[in-house]
Structure formats: C-alpha cells, structure tokens
Amino acid sequence: MNKTALYLLMIAQFIFITGCKKCLEENPKSIASPQTVLSSVQGLDAALVGAYSYFTGWSKMYSWDVLKLNESLVDFQYAPQAPDFSNGNVLSTDYPVNFAWSNLYSIINSANTVLANISAIANDPNKNRIDGEAKFLRGWSYFYLVQLFGDVPLVLSPVNDPAAFQPTRT
C-alpha cells in the first residue's frame, strides 16, 4: 500500500470517528414525568397495564418460576424436580420465594401509585373503573401474599425509595 492510500485511509477513519457526534446528540421532544403521565386516564391505564403485566408471561406470577411454590402448598406434583419444596423445606432464600415476593409487591406498588394519583381525574367517568381495578390488584396481591407467607407488611402508599424502605409485618 502506498503512502497516499494510507493517508487517505487515516483521513477517512478520522472523519468516520469524529463525524458521528451530531447523530448521537438527542433533542427530546418532551419529557414524560410521573406528574404528567399520571394526571390523565391514559397514563393511569398504562400504569394498570404495567401492574397486570406481572401476572402472566415469561418470569411472571403464573409462570414456571412460581409454579413450584404454588404447587408445593397443595400437592406434591413436582417432587422429582423440586424435592426440597415437596418435603416442605421452602426457604426464604429460594428463587421462587424471592421472585413471588418481589413480583407481588411490584403489583402493589403500581396499584398504590395509581390510587395516589387518581384524584387527578376527579370528573372523568373512568375514575371508578380505574379505582376499582387498582384496589382489586392490591387486594389480590395481599391475598396471595398472606396465603404464601402469613403476616406480611401492609403498604398502602407508593414506595419512592426502596433502599430506605423497611416496613414491619402487619
């Protein structure tokens, strides 16, 4: 390769490396803050859909991940695959236990967020439906938690800082 071709190649590389700065700069058209999103029926419905998304699908409440925990309470169908569960040795450090706990409290937190912001749509005809759905989701989650774990913390407001959140059992 001659020197001219080498210089042209180096110049082309320099242009490609430095020429993309403009493409990487973003100019957001708007910012979706929680105050903006949760002040409309569409935003509250979206938060409810987010809560419902923890029910079914890959790695959700009604998936293979929690099935061993659910079945261990009623029959011992999964004895070969989960002998610890079938023998009643369910530990708090087991994956299905942690998974169910965190998913159910995620549903509760989404429902609490909707209920905390429901006053923003005071005169809308969808208010009662959204209020009822959020309360159902929270109630169903607590019912499930109590069935699985007994006394659990009762959280009735949104959690903004999970690191500093240490509720007691109720």
Side-chain angles (χ1 to χ4, degrees), residues 82-152:
D84 53 339
F85 280 76
S86 297
N87 293 329
N89 297 326
V90 181
L91 304 174
S92 63
T93 56
D94 290 334
Y95 174 75
V97 175
N98 283 325
F99 183 80
W101 181 272
S102 63
N103 262 359
L104 288 166
Y105 272 106
S106 293
I107 294 170
I108 290 168
N109 194 47
S110 294
N112 286 339
T113 301
V114 169
L115 292 170
N117 292 289
I118 195 97
S119 61
I121 58 166
N123 298 326
D124 196 281
N126 291 308
K127 181 183 178 196
N128 289 338
R129 177 189 56 82
I130 292 171
D131 185 58
E133 285 185 47
K135 287 178 179 174
F136 166 77
L137 286 169
R138 185 171 65 183
W140 176 86
S141 298
Y142 276 120
F143 173 77
Y144 212 91
L145 280 166
V146 168
Q147 294 297 312
L148 291 173
F149 304 110
D151 294 341
V152 295

Side-chain angles (χ1 to χ4, degrees), residues 14-83:
F14 179 74
I15 290 172
F16 284 125
I17 291 171
T18 60
C20 293
K21 264 189 183 174
K22 216 174 210 181
C23 296
L24 294 176
E25 292 177 14
E26 294 182 14
N27 284 329
K29 303 294 182 208
S30 67
I31 296 174
S33 67
Q35 295 81 16
T36 306
V37 172
L38 296 172
S39 64
S40 68
V41 173
Q42 293 82 12
L44 293 173
D45 273 336
L48 283 175
V49 168
Y52 279 117
S53 71
Y54 286 99
F55 282 105
T56 60
W58 189 258
S59 296
K60 304 296 182 202
M61 283 307 299
Y62 290 115
S63 68
W64 185 257
D65 293 329
V66 184
L67 196 56
K68 291 189 298 188
L69 182 61
N70 294 336
E71 292 292 325
S72 69
L73 300 175
V74 292
D75 64 15
F76 301 113
Q77 177 181 355
Y78 292 99
Q81 294 89 358

